[in-house]
Amino acid sequence: MSMKGNLGAIVASSLAVSAGLLLRKLYKDVTLLRNPKPYVDMETKKEYQETRPLDDVIFHVLLFKWRVLGDGWLFQLVLKRLNSSFQTWDVPFAELGQDAETEVLKFCKRWGVSVDSENWLWSKEPKEYETMNEWFCRRFATEHSPERNLGSASVVMPATATVTWFQNVTEMPRILKNDRFTIAGVGIPDYEEYMSHSCALLYLEPADYHCFHMPMAGK
């Protein structure tokens, strides 16, 4: 074999090894992100895990963790394209030529919302929602509303969310939703006074009820 042939074989072998290592890292990062730490339902004591679609996870790893497109114009273009479907969430299903029940149930299947008729907790049936945003901001049926299910707990959470506790503020993540996060930057007055205190981070999954409730009356 000629020197040129040897060189070609070496390059091909190196590329194959690099590709293998890259795929192994991609598999590891995707698996880690797709399988978040399970959480426990405080009422039923059962363990659950957030549903994260594979395609969504792969895009997240490539665009935000690996930053394969950087953060310039190409990244913004791709991100705009990926998010374009959200621009129609306030447009009625009828105007989009879509069937409300089909679209709502499709969302439920993708993000892990129970569609069991016995466990349907919401105020409307799937076919009754007029827009995707109305469904996303859905309300509980009266018998399942937070106001009627407070129980006897001393502390009431303001939202249906996965709660992670920290011994103090300094132990909280530095990046949330792909953005850098600091207590100083969220607008809390005199935030320095809270740095040594215990705290909780409430995370709402796409499948979660997206309304907040306050334990007081107001206008």
Side-chain angles (χ1 to χ4, degrees):
M1 183 180 292
S2 65
M3 183 177 296
K4 185 176 181 180
N6 284 331
L7 181 60
I10 292 173
V11 171
S13 178
S14 298
L15 289 174
V17 171
S18 297
L21 293 173
L22 195 63
L23 288 174
R24 183 180 299 178
K25 178 173 174 53
L26 179 61
Y27 175 79
K28 180 180 178 181
D29 287 348
V30 167
T31 300
L32 183 64
L33 186 61
R34 199 185 185 197
N35 296 279
K37 183 179 179 180
Y39 61 90
V40 176
D41 186 304
M42 297 302 292
E43 181 178 0
T44 65
K45 306 304 180 184
K46 292 182 178 179
E47 189 173 86
Y48 297 92
Q49 188 177 52
E50 178 187 353
T51 298
R52 293 179 175 177
L54 179 59
D55 59 334
D56 194 73
V57 171
I58 292 175
F59 277 124
H60 189 100
V61 169
L62 294 177
L63 292 180
F64 298 106
K65 185 176 177 62
W66 289 17
R67 310 289 290 184
V68 295
L69 298 180
D71 58 1
W73 68 269
L74 182 57
F75 169 77
Q76 297 298 331
L77 183 66
V78 171
L79 197 62
K80 182 178 180 180
R81 175 62 179 171
L82 290 174
N83 290 330
S84 60
S85 62
F86 298 119
Q87 302 303 315
T88 61
W89 272 29
D90 284 318
V91 180
F93 290 123
E95 290 187 21
L96 296 172
Q98 298 174 338
D99 176 69
E101 184 172 20
T102 299
E103 296 304 314
V104 168
L105 293 181
K106 187 189 301 181
F107 180 99
C108 293
K109 181 179 180 180
R110 179 173 176 80
W111 296 104
V113 180
S114 174
V115 297
D116 184 351
S117 59
E118 294 183 0
N119 295 317
W120 188 257
L121 308 176
W122 316 111
S123 62
K124 295 183 179 182
E125 294 297 318
K127 63 183 179 183
E128 297 178 312
Y129 289 95
E130 295 186 7
T131 68
M132 183 57 74
N133 213 19
E134 184 190 10
W135 156 250
F136 192 73
C137 298
R138 60 196 178 277
R139 294 183 176 277
F140 280 109
T142 302
E143 63 272 23
H144 299 298
S145 66
E147 292 80 4
R148 294 200 177 188
N149 295 273
L150 294 178
S152 58
S154 300
V155 178
V156 179
M157 301 304 293
T160 302
T162 302
V163 182
T164 303
W165 290 95
F166 300 90
Q167 289 295 319
N168 56 67
V169 173
T170 59
E171 293 183 4
M172 293 182 71
R174 293 291 182 269
I175 296 179
L176 293 174
K177 297 270 187 175
N178 302 308
D179 286 323
R180 293 195 175 279
F181 166 82
T182 64
I183 292 297
V186 298
I188 299 176
D190 303 318
Y191 71 91
E192 300 91 345
E193 298 180 10
Y194 301 96
M195 298 302 289
S196 62
H197 291 266
S198 299
C199 60
L201 177 65
L202 278 65
Y203 166 67
L204 276 68
E205 303 173 17
D208 280 332
Y209 170 68
H210 272 66
C211 291
F212 283 79
H213 292 249
M214 296 300 292
M216 63 187 72
K219 291 183 180 181

